[in-house]
Amino acid sequence: MEFQKDNTFITGRMKSMTYAYKGAIKLITTEHSIMVQFSLGILMTIAGFYFGISKTEWLFQIFAIGLVLSVEGLNTAIEKIADFIHPNYHEKIGFIKDIAAGAVFFAAMTAIAIGLTIYVPLFL
């Protein structure tokens, strides 16, 4: 079966959105790190409604959740490609995977800082 690119604006975008949606579902249902991050995002969303955070706080919180999920998804893709290319341990592959995990660390620390900035004052 040969893949034919759809160059029309509407149907091409619809197909792209379908692939993106399928990818998001695969991430959420198969990758444990994404399951954890997605669950934390849901909990933080519930907390936002419970505490009645401001519109600006919602913007930061939504950004933080999206940032972590996006970077975690890219990290997963890098790990899958690396494992496909070189299934056995290799020092350079390990280095690449560590760098990708480091990017997740930065995103997670940013999200934690945002969460603390929003929620700590509500408890003081």
Side-chain angles (χ1 to χ4, degrees), residues 13 44 48 75 122:
R13 298 307 65 80
M44 295 311 296
N75 177 51
L122 298 174

Side-chain angles (χ1 to χ4, degrees), residues 8-83:
T8 59
F9 182 75
I10 300 294
T11 57
R13 298 307 65 80
M14 294 295 283
K15 285 181 181 178
S16 294
M17 289 297 293
T18 301
Y19 296 138
Y21 176 76
K22 286 179 182 179
I25 296 300
K26 284 180 185 177
L27 275 170
I28 292 168
T29 59
T30 63
E31 298 300 320
H32 293 289
S33 58
I34 294 286
M35 290 176 196
V36 170
Q37 301 295 353
F38 187 74
S39 298
L40 288 171
I42 290 171
L43 288 173
M44 295 311 296
T45 301
I46 292 167
F49 284 116
Y50 179 80
F51 289 107
I53 62 176
S54 72
K55 185 185 288 189
T56 302
E57 291 168 332
W58 271 115
L59 290 173
F60 279 103
Q61 180 166 297
I62 291 166
F63 175 78
I65 293 167
L67 175 69
V68 171
L69 289 173
S70 298
V71 176
E72 189 71 67
L74 290 171
N75 177 51
T76 299
I78 290 167
E79 287 182 354
K80 298 289 184 193
I81 290 169
D83 290 344

Side-chain angles (χ1 to χ4, degrees), residues 78 82 86 88-100:
I78 290 167
H86 205 290
N88 299 322
Y89 176 79
H90 189 280
E91 188 175 331
K92 288 184 180 180
I93 294 290
F95 182 77
I96 291 165
K97 290 168 101 175
D98 288 347
I99 290 172

